[in-house]
Amino acid sequence: MVEFAYQAVPDSAATWRETARRAEAVGVHTLLVPDHPGSCAAPFVALAAAAAVTDTIRLGSYVCNAGVREPMLLAADVATLDVVSGGRALLGIGAGHTPAEWQAIGRSRPDVNGRVARCIAVAEATMRLLSGAEVTVDGPALTMAGARLTEPRPVQDRVPLLFGGGNTRLLEWAADHADIVGLSGLGRTLADGHRHTVRWRLDDVDAQVDRVRGRVLETLVQRFQITDDAEGALADMTEHTGLTAAQLRATPYVLVGTVDEIVSSIREHERRWGISRYAVRPPALDLLPTIMAGLSAA
């Protein structure tokens, strides 16, 4: 069964409440909020507000930057969200990439190996705290002593863990520890600190999926558009990525075309890679009912 998550941020109380209600009403599996301190809403505050006006939709971060988050505080946020939502929290975590986020808290962004080590250490410590364990860590990436989350305790026995990223070592770690693996196909961070190169060719996707088969796979969709002119709609992306429109439409990170074409692409992704979830962004919420109906009819 194909499921959709919806990543959005609040811009006002009224519109955020309506977004959460609509996402639940159309059948979105999880409402997600990104984590970019200084340029984005605080994810768990926004998700707690969404919990107050919904009943069934899951609520999660996509994804918390492990480089600038501390496990004790992160675990408390997740556990609190789980309590106020009645057991609907999801923890999404990644290694982070934006240099400004480290600079804002007085740190320098580590190299790739340092970010990977920090992500694994923070994710493992946070999940152990959520499980009720006492956590002591003394390593170059993280230091904690006798930490325990006594209150609040999560409602769920295990809060689901979503890893988002594409680093090879992290994917191998996620294959053993994460409940959901979120693939973005993004490569190295460019000089502006925000944009990336992409790894969207079919052999790139094959290589990443081969490392995490057996886990629930979700892709972060970078363009979602219903159109009769897919080539025209993708002209800007072909220039940025160096891929043709046909190559872009073959990746699981782009859902562009007619309803039938998008449904066919989703079925092919499911067949080839076992992808069963898609995280989409505004304005995709308006399009989802049409695509879901197409999937049901296919």
Side-chain angles (χ1 to χ4, degrees):
M1 178 180 177
V2 175
E3 297 174 330
F4 291 90
Y6 186 60
Q7 186 194 56
V9 293
D11 56 13
S12 74
T15 58
W16 182 241
R17 290 194 296 265
E18 180 59 19
T19 294
R21 292 190 188 103
R22 285 186 59 222
E24 184 170 79
V26 304
V28 166
H29 183 275
T30 309
L31 179 63
L32 301 167
V33 177
D35 181 34
H36 292 289
S39 61
C40 180
F44 296 103
V45 176
L47 292 166
V53 296
T54 57
D55 297 303
T56 59
I57 193 170
R58 282 202 167 270
L59 305 159
S61 53
Y62 196 104
V63 286
C64 284
N65 179 349
V68 301
R69 297 285 185 181
E70 296 299 330
M72 190 73 258
L73 302 178
L74 186 54
D77 281 346
V78 174
T80 302
L81 176 62
D82 208 46
V83 169
V84 302
S85 68
R88 292 184 280 143
L90 175 149
L91 170 60
I93 199 163
H97 64 87
T98 307
E101 294 172 11
W102 275 267
Q103 294 165 8
I105 62 169
R107 298 179 185 169
S108 297
R109 187 183 73 160
D111 62 12
V112 172
N113 289 334
R115 295 199 301 277
V116 167
R118 170 78 181 184
C119 184
I120 291 173
V122 169
E124 291 183 347
T126 303
M127 291 301 289
R128 289 177 62 201
L129 289 167
L130 289 169
S131 75
E134 182 176 296
V135 179
T136 294
V137 181
D138 185 11
L142 180 67
T143 301
M144 302 170 63
R148 185 185 291 275
L149 181 67
T150 57
E151 292 292 340
R153 297 297 312 141
V155 174
Q156 299 175 89
D157 290 335
R158 175 182 168 88
V159 173
L161 175 66
L162 181 155
F163 165 74
N167 175 271
T168 297
R169 181 181 166 201
L170 283 174
L171 287 174
E172 292 170 348
W173 172 86
D176 293 328
H177 296 87
D179 301 284
I180 304 165
V181 177
L183 301 174
S184 65
L186 300 179
R188 65 179 179 82
T189 306
L190 298 177
D192 66 3
H194 297 279
R195 294 182 302 141
H196 302 261
T197 59
V198 298
R199 298 170 181 161
W200 288 357
R201 297 181 187 276
L202 297 188
D203 56 348
D204 292 327
V205 184
D206 288 340
Q208 291 196 342
V209 169
D210 283 346
R211 291 185 169 88
V212 290
R213 287 192 186 276
R215 292 294 174 180
V216 175
L217 298 184
E218 176 176 281
T219 63
L220 181 60
V221 178
Q222 303 294 329
R223 181 70 58 84
F224 188 9
Q225 184 176 348
I226 297 174
T227 177
D228 293 326
D229 181 18
E231 187 164 339
L234 292 170
D236 62 323
M237 293 190 81
T238 60
E239 182 177 352
H240 168 61
T241 63
L243 302 177
T244 66
Q247 288 173 316
L248 288 170
R249 294 176 71 193
T251 77
Y253 310 111
V254 175
L255 297 176
V256 173
T258 66
V259 171
D260 287 345
E261 288 170 341
I262 291 173
V263 168
S264 178
S265 293
I266 289 171
R267 292 305 186 201
E268 175 59 18
H269 303 159
E270 189 175 27
R271 182 199 66 78
R272 178 167 181 160
W273 294 304
I275 293 168
S276 61
R277 288 171 53 118
Y278 294 84
V280 298
R281 294 163 165 162
L285 193 57
D286 295 330
L287 309 180
L288 284 180
T290 302
I291 299 300
M292 288 175 170
L295 287 166
S296 296

